[in-house]
């Protein structure tokens, strides 16, 4: 099968009409390509009132072209994961309307009244429920796809179903290798080079990163989103939606939780140098740390309740075991968050939270701070036993 | 497809003639059913000089019948694993001649000049190379099927290929659940009941066992044999062969190493009460502990060498990482060995090393000793940092 891009707007309209019942037959539809992402094609199809989003994957990365092939299977996985997430956390994901393997595309709910969390962070928007929503989303999706909930056969078939090698390889390289050596894919601002070189020579750090990588590669614990950075989260003051699970696979729960907490800390690092009055930035930093606490508390509470209510697996549901398990997940969360903080600072894919600081010296100060924090989180994760302990480290780390 | 048993000897002969070239066309062949195993049918087909073994799986357990269904996929897995093992450790497995999905059977080399390791142990046969052979077998098979050696895509496809849910479930129950509660499947001799009840009420133990179970269920690190007890190993003084990998799946390396070390310690426990002069039994116990050291040393050395020679995975091949990794594998090995020791003492499937002690009180002494050792190994595995440390615990434990 050769996959091709929707030829024109009419093809997108035909897809939506054939696969969804969101529009009446005679309603005029308007198509707009809206993707600000890198990998796939995203269209908004608007009718008289409603609208629908279409996402299409081609066997390569959109912004690079056929030079960087990427398996089309990711769109089947994304569509299935969106449906699984919708089953357990319907408030926190766009509704999936229809997937078609033939066009390697699916149609979903338009959540255009939400904004990208990364930009909400940069503009310091108040998001009073963010941490709680994320914690609930994580608890629901991770619990219900793990051995705590699924029977042994369903779980193991699911592991096979979501094997996603090419996609996982990207993470294996970008998170756990590039930043720890002089790799050509890295993007390092000159005033940070010395700090980066410090990481390359840090044997203890490299061993701990490799242990995290081993978990990422071998711990098939739950169906993780796999790319839960701030750009995959869309927010309103009262609502949170998680999109883009094309990196999903069976991996460690701590990877998802760590990815999003890493992004909160990256914005914290950026706030030192972003525009605006100091007290506003200070307040937002305090808000960010509070949301880390809220996210973990909500996750921890909901996960504990779910095990008590729904797990009939007699060994894993022992209450003492659940608490030990969650304590362990927290430490690994800190470690994975540290790898996200580091790879976004000197790896291939930077983020606007820090890159939009115009002054190169100010930016470098945030970057060096982030590298120091990330290192500390990875190496000492087993003694950082709570969100408060993590926050204390961030507060104590000199800027 | 409905699977049926070879109807008669002629059917077994026809299978061997059709699928192997071990015999000449006019050679008269004689068939004998030889299986002393529980699950499948085993035939020896003898010609004028040579012979061949045929193993056939049916969709249930042989000694129980259709009441206990078991997926036929296990024979496909066994045949593929035998071939993989033969690629990396050809001296340590019977040669696979041919597999036929249609008959759910395969033909393999007859290793009838070897004896079952369990009986060799019970009769205290000298086996000067046993530990070394097992260590080499483990290093070769585990290294070459892990991320240390395979590229990311091959490895992940292999994980899916070897998913073996019904079979893994048996281990999940028998190793990690039954012995830790009053389960009807258990088989507990009356004078050991109190000690068994001690385990059922031991919260710390049950948490550690569940952590091991989590690894068994979620750590898809290498293609493990999955059932490496003494009855799966056949020996001569100068040769060691591992058979019966029908429980193979992608799991933790430590599970295989721990299973066989657990069986060495079970025989050690049996030697206290088996027949024969005390000095002979003492000597054999000393020999057994020495083979644990030899097995781990051979594994450790060969694994380290293989990484240095053949791994081009830049993170996992860092020499310091390999040593940390192996130290970690050792501790989990001790834990898994402890679960094997316990489940063979009070669980469903006992072993002749202890069960053949006629005197019920003597037998119970060995059993209680095994339970105490197993508990110690599971709970304290993180501080039992070497085979010598493990052996010191066995030596110090009062009989
Ligand atoms: N359901 C939706 N409703 C509204 N807008 C959406 C929706 N899904 C995606 N978008 C818009 O399209 C953008 C790209 O979406 P998405 O991240 O899924 O694409 P991608 O090509 O996989 O990008 P990435 O490079 O992040 O992997 C989002 O940032 C968002 O602006
Ligand atoms: N290649 C071989 N050469 C000689 N004898 C063999 C061979 N394979 C198996 N046997 C004999 O058949 C017996 C049963 O083999 P095996 O353990 O593979 O069967 P099983 O039905 O899977 O048993 P289990 O109950 O252990 O799972 C062995 O103990 C051994 O005596
Ligand atoms: Mg994407
Ligand atoms: Mg068997």
């Amino acid at each position: 099968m050769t996959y091709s891009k929707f030829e024109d707007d009419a093809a997108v309209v035909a897809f939506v009409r054939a696969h969804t019942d969101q529009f009446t037959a005679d309603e005029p539809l308007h198509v707009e390509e809206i993707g600000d992402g890198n990998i796939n094609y995203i269209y908004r199809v608007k009718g008289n009132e409603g609208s629908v989003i279409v996402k299409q994957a081609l066997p390569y990365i959109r912004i690079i072209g056929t030079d960087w092939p990427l398996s089309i299977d990711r769109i089947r996985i994304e569509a299935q994961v969106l449906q699984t997430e919708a089953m357990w956390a319907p408030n926190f994901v766009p509704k999936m309307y229809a997937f078609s393997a033939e066009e390697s595309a699916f149609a979903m709910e338009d959540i255009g009244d939400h904004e990208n969390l990364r930009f909400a962070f940069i503009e310091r928007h108040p998001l009073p429920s963010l941490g709680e929503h994320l914690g609930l989303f994580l608890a629901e999706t991770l619990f219900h796809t793990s051995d705590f909930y699924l029977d042994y056969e369903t779980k193991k078939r699911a592991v096979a179903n979501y094997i996603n090698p090419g996609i996982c390889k990207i993470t294996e390289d970008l998170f756990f290798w590039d930043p720890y050596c002089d790799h050509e894919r890295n993007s390092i601002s000159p005033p940070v080079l010395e700090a980066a070189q410090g990481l390359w020579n840090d044997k203890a750090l490299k061993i701990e990163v490799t242990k995290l990588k081993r978990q990422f590669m071998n711990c098939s614990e739950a169906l993780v989103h796999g790319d839960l950075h701030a750009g995959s989260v869309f927010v309103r003051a009262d609502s949170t939606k998680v999109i883009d699970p094309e990196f999903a696979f069976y991996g460690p729960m701590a990877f998802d939780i760590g990815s999003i907490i890493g992004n909160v800390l990256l914005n914290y690092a950026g706030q030192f140098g972003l525009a605006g009055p100091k007290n506003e930035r200070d307040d937002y930093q305090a808000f960010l740390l509070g949301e880390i606490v809220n996210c973990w508390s909500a996750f921890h509470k909901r996960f504990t309740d779910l095990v008590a209510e729904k797990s009939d697996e007699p060994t894993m549901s022992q209450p003492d075991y659940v608490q030990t398990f969650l304590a362990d997940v927290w430490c690994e969360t800190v470690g994975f968050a540290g790898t996200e903080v580091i790879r976004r600072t000197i790896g291939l894919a930077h983020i606007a939270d820090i890159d939009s600081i115009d002054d190169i010296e100010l930016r470098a100060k945030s970057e060096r701070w982030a590298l120091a924090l990330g290192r500390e989180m990875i190496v000492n994760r087993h003694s950082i036993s709570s969100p408060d302990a993590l926050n204390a480290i961030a507060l104590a780390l000199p800027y």
Side-chain angles (χ1 to χ4, degrees), chain A:
Chain A
M1 189 145 187
T2 54
Y3 296 93
S4 55
K5 197 169 163 333
F6 285 121
E7 227 170 67
D8 50 22
D9 289 359
V12 182
V13 166
F15 178 83
V16 164
R17 291 210 194 272
H19 294 287
T20 81
D21 52 7
Q22 301 298 310
F23 304 107
T24 58
D26 51 1
E27 195 173 346
L29 299 182
H30 172 80
V31 177
E32 180 192 4
E33 197 188 330
I34 59 163
D36 58 356
N38 303 316
I39 301 188
N40 308 290
Y41 295 87
I42 316 272
Y43 305 93
R44 170 172 283 130
V45 183
K46 265 196 164 147
N48 290 335
E49 279 158 26
S51 60
V52 156
I53 302 291
V54 173
K55 180 164 183 173
Q56 185 180 45
L58 294 178
Y60 51 81
I61 293 185
R62 179 173 73 96
I63 57 159
I64 296 182
T66 50
D67 281 357
W68 191 327
L70 200 58
S71 160
I72 210 70
D73 195 37
R74 68 186 190 273
I75 195 87
R76 186 244 340 147
I77 287 179
E78 177 165 355
Q80 289 186 354
V81 174
L82 272 176
Q83 274 171 308
T84 303
E85 291 171 342
M87 194 146 68
W88 305 117
N91 295 333
F92 300 126
V93 288
K95 272 198 259 315
M96 246 287 298
Y97 297 138
F99 166 64
S100 164
E102 207 173 325
E103 283 100 345
S104 66
F106 66 84
M108 67 180 142
E109 181 186 4
D110 187 354
I111 55 156
D113 58 338
H114 290 62
E115 65 173 336
N116 186 311
L117 175 59
R118 192 169 306 290
F119 298 107
F121 273 166
I122 291 172
E123 290 162 26
R124 295 189 282 278
H125 290 174
L127 298 165
S129 305
L130 177 71
E132 191 198 344
H133 286 173
L134 289 170
L136 293 174
F137 168 80
L138 289 163
E140 295 286 348
T141 56
L142 299 175
F143 169 82
H144 284 105
T145 57
S146 77
D147 287 310
F148 283 95
Y149 177 71
L150 297 179
D151 73 87
Y152 70 96
E153 171 122 29
T154 309
K155 155 76 188 319
K156 290 181 177 78
R157 299 281 170 225
V159 170
N161 183 55
Y162 289 111
I163 277 177
N164 202 350
I167 287 279
C168 282
K169 173 72 170 152
I170 295 174
T171 304
E172 288 160 22
D173 289 343
L174 297 189
F175 270 70
F176 304 109
W177 174 235
D178 294 6
Y180 305 96
C181 66
D182 187 9
H183 201 286
E184 59 181 10
R185 275 188 299 247
N186 287 333
S187 158
I188 304 174
S189 73
V192 175
L193 184 60
E194 204 177 318
Q197 286 166 335
L199 304 186
W200 305 343
N201 295 318
D202 189 333
K203 277 199 175 183
L205 174 66
K206 290 167 79 162
I207 288 183
E208 294 308 318
V209 169
T210 309
K211 287 189 197 168
L212 290 163
K213 183 180 180 190
R214 176 193 178 201
Q215 281 187 53
F216 180 84
M217 295 179 83
N218 290 320
C219 175
S220 53
E221 181 169 75
L223 181 58
V224 301
H225 179 285
D227 193 22
L228 199 52
H229 65 104
S232 295
V233 179
F234 280 72
V235 290
R236 288 188 325 219
D238 62 338
S239 170
T240 306
K241 303 278 184 194
V242 174
I243 66 162
D244 197 17
E246 68 183 324
F247 278 59
F249 72 110
Y250 262 81
M253 299 188 186
F255 184 74
D256 269 2
I257 316 172
S259 295
I260 192 66
I261 288 180
N263 277 266
V264 175
L265 290 168
L266 282 160
N267 186 263
Y268 185 103
Q271 293 296 346
F272 287 120
L274 285 168
K278 176 152 186 339
N279 68 324
E280 233 184 57
R281 292 182 287 115
D282 287 350
D283 287 353
Y284 209 73
Q285 284 186 322
F287 154 77
L288 291 170
L289 297 191
E291 292 312 293
I292 293 177
V293 175
N294 292 344
C295 172
W296 178 257
S297 310
F299 172 78
H300 189 284
K301 178 167 190 330
R302 186 69 189 133
F303 198 96
T304 303
D305 288 350
L306 283 169
V307 175
E309 285 162 26
K310 300 179 84 170
S311 181
D312 53 13
E313 214 287 74
T315 56
M316 296 174 69
S317 61
Q318 297 171 87
D320 288 348
Y321 174 72
V322 180
Q323 295 315 305
T324 322
F325 169 79
L326 289 172
D328 201 47
V329 169
W330 168 257
C331 290
E332 303 308 325
T333 291
V334 173
F336 284 120
T339 61
E340 170 73 353
V341 167
I342 288 178
R343 73 112 181 177
R344 292 290 190 181
T345 305
I346 55 172
L348 172 72
H350 283 222
I351 48 169
D353 312 58
I354 291 180
D355 271 18
S356 64
I357 301 171
D358 288 327
D359 182 297
I360 185 165
E361 266 314 323
L362 266 189
R363 191 163 76 232
K365 275 190 83 172
S366 279
E367 289 177 328
R368 283 191 297 260
W369 187 89
L371 291 186
L373 180 69
R375 182 198 181 278
E376 175 93 3
M377 290 169 69
I378 294 167
V379 172
N380 295 327
R381 66 189 183 283
H382 294 297
S383 49
I384 303 174
S385 59
S386 68
D388 286 328
L390 172 61
N391 291 348
I393 289 171
L395 288 167
L397 190 69
Y399 165 65

